[in-house]
Structures are given as structure tokens and as C-alpha cells.
């Protein structure tokens, strides 16, 4: 069983790492364009803040969350971008304060969820542990966009394991978003962790295999780097196809990044 308190601590640490990148930016810095087309740094933080707010609603008021879902249905393909656009209009100091307040509120809300409860979401219902892991993944991924915008290199941490795990678990979802049937065979994933240990998933004798640095795998499944720019070894046609489709995030397929974009 997942240790919820440990996951919440990791989420808090991931948020703090991103916070340090933006805390001293002037208003012009918040307006810088990120690798996500049409999104500035302000859009990135507004998106994270909005999703943390909605996740807290899911954890505390199922009826209100259902109303949010019903309101979003007519604009299913645009409501996320619209929320980011609206949030990005908030003055930077206030947006930063809002994000700090609301991510802390989400942590407290998830702590109060009774054991065994599944929280409603825009996709399948999630346990509190799955919810906070998803929030950590998204915070890390959008944090990568911010770091790339600022020309900064982040130090990989053991928190990458959560992101890699989502990347592995969402394999079949990635095929579904592209209208494809997922392979029946499990894949073997072997990743070199930041501390030099190994993280593995899948049977040891699988013919379809992916190996390499955990950081590179996480950049691949969050579509923050083109596969040509990553040190991943892929064996098997199906494993190769999957990495071209992989996405750890919900929603329609992303546009990813171009080869050599961050050389």
C-alpha cells in the first residue's frame, strides 16, 4: 500500500523546487514564452494552481466536483487552456501566493480522505495516493518547461520514480488516445536511478524492453524531450512504437518537442 504521507512530502518538495525557480522573477520573467506553444511561465503556474484547486474540490466535495465536470463537458477540448489563460491574467505576486496557498490546501484535503475512498476525476476515479502522484508528475513536467525557459538544469531526484511509474502504468492509455490496441505482452523497463540504483518494471524475460537513465525516461513519457535527444535503449518494435506514443498525462495526445530543440 502506498504511503500517503511520504507521497505528500514528495509532492510538497517538488512544488518547492519549482517555487525556487520563479520566486524572484520580475513581471517580465513571468511573461516569457515556454516550450508549450502559447503558454508563458504565468500560464504554467496558473494551470498547476487551477488543477490543484480542482483536485482539492474532488477530495472534499464530490457534488461540487460533478458540477465542475458538467460545466466543462461542452468545451472538453478547450477548458484546460481557458483556465490557464484566465489564471495567467492574475498579477504574478498574487498568482504565486495563490499557488502556494492552494497546493498546501490540497495536501491537507488529501490527508482527510478516508482510507479506501476513490476520488472523482475527469478520467477514472483515483485514490488519494494516485491523485497526489499525478499532481507531482504534472508539477515536475511543467516545472521542466519553466526550467527550459530560464535555461536552468534541475538536479534529478528520487521523486522521478513516481513519474516513471505513471509512465509505465499509462502504457495502454497512450495507445487508446491514438486509437490503437495495446500489445498483450508486458514490457520490461530498466532505469538507472539518480543514486545509481536500478528501478524495474515488468517480467525479466520480456522481449520488448526499454532501458536507460530514469530522467530520460521521465522526459520521454511527459513529452518534454524528443526521443532522438535521449539516451534510451529500446529493444523490440512494439516498445519502440510505445515510446513514440507514450504520455503520462491525461487528455488528448500532446505535440511533444522537436529533435535538437534543447541542444
Amino acid at each position: 500500500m502506498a504511503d500517503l504521507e511520504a507521497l505528500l512530502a514528495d509532492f510538497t518538495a517538488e512544488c518547492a523546487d519549482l517555487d525556487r525557480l520563479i520566486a524572484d522573477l520580475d513581471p517580465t520573467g513571468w511573461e516569457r514564452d515556454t516550450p508549450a506553444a502559447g503558454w508563458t511561465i504565468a500560464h504554467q503556474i496558473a494551470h498547476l494552481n487551477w488543477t490543484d484547486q480542482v483536485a482539492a474540490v474532488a477530495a472534499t466535495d464530490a457534488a461540487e466536483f460533478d458540477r465542475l465536470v458538467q460545466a466543462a463537458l461542452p468545451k472538453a477540448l478547450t477548458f484546460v487552456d481557458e483556465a490557464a489563460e484566465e489564471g495567467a491574467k492574475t498579477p504574478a505576486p498574487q498568482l504565486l501566493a495563490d499557488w502556494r496557498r492552494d497546493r498546501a490546501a490540497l495536501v491537507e484535503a488529501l490527508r482527510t480522505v478516508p482510507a479506501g475512498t476513490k476520488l472523482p476525476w475527469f478520467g477514472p476515479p483515483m485514490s488519494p495516493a494516485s491523485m497526489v502522484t499525478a499532481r507531482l508528475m504534472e508539477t515536475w513536467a511543467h516545472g521542466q518547461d519553466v526550467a527550459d525557459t530560464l535555461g536552468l538544469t534541475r538536479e534529478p531526484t528520487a521523486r522521478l520514480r513516481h513519474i516513471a511509474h505513471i509512465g509505465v502504468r499509462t502504457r495502454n492509455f497512450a495507445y487508446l488516445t491514438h486509437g490503437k490496441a495495446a500489445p498483450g505482452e508486458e514490457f520490461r523497463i530498466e532505469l538507472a536511478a539518480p543514486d545509481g540504483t536500478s528501478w524495474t518494471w515488468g517480467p525479466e524475460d520480456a522481449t520488448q524492453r526499454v532501458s536507460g537513465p530514469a530522467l530520460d525516461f521521465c522526459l520521454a513519457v511527459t513529452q518534454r524531450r524528443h526521443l532522438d535527444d535521449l539516451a534510451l535503449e529500446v529493444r523490440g518494435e512494439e516498445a519502440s512504437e510505445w515510446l513514440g506514443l507514450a504520455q503520462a498525462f491525461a487528455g488528448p495526445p500532446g505535440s511533444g518537442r522537436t529533435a535538437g530543440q534543447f541542444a
Side-chain angles (χ1 to χ4, degrees), residues 30-149:
W30 283 77
E31 294 171 0
R32 291 180 63 175
D33 291 330
T34 69
W39 279 28
T40 64
I41 289 177
H43 285 82
Q44 299 278 355
I45 302 305
H47 170 67
L48 291 175
N49 185 49
W50 175 84
T51 315
D52 288 346
Q53 289 176 338
V54 174
V57 172
T60 58
D61 191 337
E64 177 60 23
F65 180 79
D66 184 61
R67 284 191 285 271
L68 290 173
V69 171
Q70 294 305 313
L73 286 177
K75 45 186 179 180
L77 298 179
T78 63
F79 75 95
V80 171
D81 285 338
E82 289 176 9
E85 184 67 32
E86 186 61 30
K89 297 175 184 176
T90 305
Q94 185 61 54
L95 178 56
L96 181 57
D98 290 348
W99 178 48
R100 288 170 172 168
R101 178 198 65 213
D102 293 331
R103 74 200 197 212
L106 173 59
V107 167
E108 293 307 313
L110 291 173
R111 280 197 176 109
T112 68
V113 176
T117 301
K118 292 286 188 178
L119 305 177
W121 198 238
F122 297 98
M126 292 194 286
S127 68
S130 293
M131 178 71 81
V132 72
T133 304
R135 297 307 310 127
L136 189 157
M137 177 275 296
E138 207 178 9
T139 301
W140 181 85
H142 289 283
Q144 186 63 48
D145 292 334
V146 172
D148 288 335
T149 301

Side-chain angles (χ1 to χ4, degrees), residues 183-208:
E185 178 188 351
E186 287 189 66
F187 296 171
R188 176 70 170 181
I189 314 299
E190 299 179 345
L191 304 178
D195 65 358
T197 60
S198 182
W199 299 336
T200 63
W201 292 262
E204 292 186 13
D205 61 351
T207 60
Q208 306 293 317

Side-chain angles (χ1 to χ4, degrees), residues 226-248:
H226 192 279
L227 292 177
D228 289 352
D229 298 333
L230 300 173
L232 295 174
E233 181 179 346
V234 185
R235 290 171 51 189
E237 292 184 3
E238 290 179 340
S240 181
E241 179 187 41
W242 168 52
L243 278 190
L245 308 175
Q247 64 176 73

